[in-house]
Amino acid sequence: MAVHGWFSTPIYIHDFEGEDYEIIQQELIEVVNQLDFDHNSLFKDAFGKSTHKLNIEGFGQSILHKYNCGYFLKYLDIHLIEYLNQIGSQETPYLLKESWFTETNKGEYAHQHDHGAFDVSGVYYVNSNGEDGNFYLKNVLSHLSSNYIYDKVIDPMEIPPKNGRLLLWPGLIPHGTKINQTDNRRISLSFNLQFLRDGFTFKNANTT
Amino acid sequence: MTTEWKPEGNIQPLWATPIYQNIAKDEEFDIIQEELLSVISRLKFGEAKGWGPNSHSLSEKPFDSNCLYDNDCTNTLKFMHRCIMEYLRYLDATPVPYIISNAWITKTTKGKFAYSHSHGFSDISGVYYINTNGEDGNLMLENVHDAFAGNYIYNAIGRIGGRVPAPLCNGILLMWPSNIRHQTQENTTDNDRFSLSFNINFNNFLPGNLANEAWDCNVEGKDFYEKSF
């Protein structure tokens, strides 16, 4: 007898350690120290005061490019290639279109949301005590739960935060974070990227 | 069943669809084969209207009858029962009464195949191979993520596993959630493939606080249904 798992969703996890970790942390913490954070107005109106803060530049731009975070972008490129390789895909140019820092203080959380049209979304934890709000991904098959079998396998996936942890996932998956119930000011970096579509060229694409 | 995060390795395969596979062996295989081949010898087969000229043939009244209950296929039912319980155990699901709501025999001759379809409203669908040469058309389950193909990652994994051929061998029993679309490849051989297909429904309200609200079993085969628990 065997039960085989078919049609899984591949998400990518990597914990940076050693010199790589030190280099990335130094680069990103320098940026964070220059930033101001607030409750994005659209964000707050829609989701209430318990939602987390963003660097004031918000969405629609890349804080990584604005502050020339070359080390992180280089490491991200390496792991994006690894992600594609491990799912059997070919290397494809991509554009990291958005990146921003998130500040999550005690009592705050990220409401469930998705990044729709982006191919890959990701997060990197800059400052976490490991207990300041797990990240979760909603099961994309939850709408099939009227079937008895699917009803048994629709749990969400929770992943604890950890300094140096990189997560990559298909951007359409609904996700969020649990409430930060500690006094730690959790800082994480979020980003969205898109792969080149047939018929287009990117002027400033990364090339994997 | 909980999807657990595994900290080793980069790729975490989340939310896989559990597909059950087993194979009857030795004496059990022999008595099931004898039982089902005897049933086949008594059945008439015909093509369903409107399914197209290349569609396989079915036993009479395929979706309004149960050839296992009708022909007292006790050995086949026992094997299936054991497999169903194993499937539920894997899922950490509490065993609940079920009914094989319909069961029929499919005959697939050279040039024939099953068009893409699903058995939507049932809980489990399955197939047992009675007579195959292993090359007369695999079952293909369609990727439940097809609608996500606009995403690069889902599209990438769809290319390498979008339609997965299931194993094909006499004695193999496969079960899957009924809402998964599936089809069979064309039989390009001279072998007449015979397989048993079936649908299963669970009584979701047992056991538990809603026991008094349980469904009544209203199809033939109730005796087996009640003996199962």
Side-chain angles (χ1 to χ4, degrees):
Chain A
M1 186 279 289
V3 176
H4 299 286
W6 291 31
F7 314 129
S8 60
T9 291
I11 68 163
Y12 185 91
I13 302 177
H14 179 77
D15 291 336
F16 286 99
E17 296 175 343
E19 188 179 353
D20 295 345
Y21 171 74
E22 298 297 336
I23 291 172
I24 291 174
Q25 286 291 106
Q26 182 178 348
E27 181 177 75
L28 296 183
I29 289 171
E30 279 184 16
V31 176
V32 169
N33 289 339
Q34 300 173 60
L35 297 176
D36 292 316
F37 290 83
D38 69 359
H39 285 109
N40 181 282
S41 58
L42 287 174
F43 219 48
K44 187 179 178 183
D45 290 344
F47 304 114
K49 63 182 181 181
S50 294
T51 194
H52 56 73
K53 295 175 182 174
L54 307 175
N55 58 275
I56 58 173
E57 291 84 352
F59 305 119
Q61 49 76 52
S62 174
I63 204 76
L64 288 170
H65 289 94
K66 181 177 179 179
Y67 285 86
N68 297 315
C69 298
Y71 287 119
F72 183 84
L73 289 167
K74 184 188 79 170
Y75 284 111
L76 176 61
D77 188 62
I78 291 169
H79 287 279
L80 191 60
I81 292 171
E82 188 64 20
Y83 192 10
L84 296 183
N85 286 342
Q86 291 197 25
I87 63 173
S89 183
Q90 58 191 4
E91 298 180 5
T92 306
Y94 66 91
L95 185 67
L96 193 147
K97 189 175 179 184
E98 296 181 339
S99 59
W100 65 94
F101 285 93
T102 295
E103 176 188 294
T104 307
N105 294 300
K106 188 172 187 176
E108 295 180 340
Y109 67 101
H111 58 280
Q112 184 174 296
H113 63 288
D114 63 69
H115 299 175
F118 288 103
D119 290 313
V120 171
S121 296
V123 65
Y124 174 88
Y125 290 101
V126 181
N127 181 47
S128 170
N129 61 11
E131 299 174 346
D132 41 20
N134 283 1
F135 173 81
Y136 69 87
L137 290 161
K138 182 186 176 187
N139 192 322
V140 292
L141 300 179
S142 59
H143 63 291
L144 300 178
S145 63
S146 60
N147 177 276
Y148 188 84
I149 300 300
Y150 276 114
D151 185 49
K152 307 304 175 192
V153 293
I154 58 166
D155 289 344
M157 176 69 169
E158 274 195 35
I159 303 170
K162 179 184 177 184
N163 290 344
R165 175 162 291 165
L166 174 73
L167 303 175
L168 304 173
W169 65 89
L172 59 79
I173 302 178
H175 59 278
T177 66
K178 296 298 180 74
I179 296 173
N180 179 358
Q181 295 180 319
T182 76
D183 293 322
N184 188 55
R185 175 191 181 231
R186 190 181 73 228
I187 300 290
S188 57
L189 168 71
S190 298
F191 48 88
N192 289 323
L193 61 89
Q194 196 164 42
F195 291 100
L196 183 67
R197 258 57 175 178
D198 289 345
F200 291 89
T201 56
F202 286 144
K203 291 179 180 175
N204 299 304
N206 297 65
T207 303
T208 66
Chain B
M1 190 176 73
T2 302
T3 301
E4 295 182 358
W5 172 60
K6 299 173 183 176
E8 299 85 18
N10 292 127
I11 294 289
Q12 302 288 315
L14 300 187
W15 311 315
T17 294
I19 309 296
Y20 181 90
Q21 176 185 327
N22 203 345
I23 184 165
K25 296 177 182 173
D26 305 326
E27 186 180 352
E28 187 173 46
F29 171 75
D30 292 337
I31 58 175
I32 290 174
Q33 288 294 107
E34 182 181 351
E35 193 169 72
L36 294 180
L37 288 171
S38 173
V39 171
I40 288 171
S41 70
R42 298 194 295 273
L43 293 176
K44 294 179 180 177
F45 292 86
E47 294 180 359
K49 291 181 180 177
W51 283 21
N54 298 317
S55 185
H56 55 70
S57 298
L58 304 168
S59 53
E60 289 181 304
K61 296 181 180 178
F63 313 124
D64 299 318
S65 64
N66 185 320
C67 67
L68 299 174
Y69 294 152
D70 293 346
N71 293 281
D72 197 24
C73 296
T74 309
N75 296 302
T76 306
L77 288 166
K78 282 181 179 174
F79 176 62
M80 288 173 60
H81 178 71
R82 197 177 78 234
C83 294
I84 293 163
M85 292 300 103
E86 285 180 344
Y87 200 3
L88 295 184
R89 271 199 296 277
Y90 176 84
L91 298 166
D92 290 337
T94 303
V96 292
Y98 65 87
I99 194 75
I100 302 172
S101 52
N102 38 39
W104 64 96
I105 304 290
T106 294
K107 178 182 178 182
T108 308
T109 57
K110 188 172 187 177
K112 305 291 186 179
F113 60 92
Y115 288 92
S116 175
H117 65 286
S118 79
H119 303 180
F121 196 52
S122 296
D123 288 315
I124 292 177
S125 295
V127 64
Y128 176 88
Y129 290 107
I130 305 162
N131 181 48
T132 173
N133 61 11
E135 298 173 347
D136 43 19
N138 292 72
L139 171 73
M140 309 283 282
L141 297 181
E142 298 182 16
N143 194 328
V144 294
H145 295 141
D146 276 354
F148 300 156
N151 177 277
Y152 185 93
I153 299 296
Y154 278 107
N155 185 59
I157 58 175
R159 276 206 303 273
I160 59 172
R163 283 182 184 150
V164 184
L168 183 60
C169 176
N170 288 340
I172 279 186
L173 176 79
L174 299 166
M175 292 190 285
W176 60 90
S178 297
N179 49 3
I180 299 181
R181 294 190 70 81
H182 53 282
Q183 57 186 290
T184 63
Q185 295 171 318
E186 180 183 347
N187 181 357
T188 59
T189 76
D190 292 323
N191 186 55
D192 291 348
R193 188 181 73 235
F194 286 95
S195 56
L196 166 72
S197 296
F198 55 88
N199 289 319
I200 293 169
N201 284 319
F202 290 99
N203 187 339
N204 293 345
F205 294 111
L206 276 177
N209 296 331
L210 295 175
N212 292 334
E213 305 294 329
W215 303 112
D216 265 339
C217 175
N218 60 356
V219 299
E220 293 183 24
K222 186 174 181 179
D223 288 346
F224 186 84
Y225 168 86
E226 291 179 341
K227 286 175 189 171
S228 300
F229 291 89

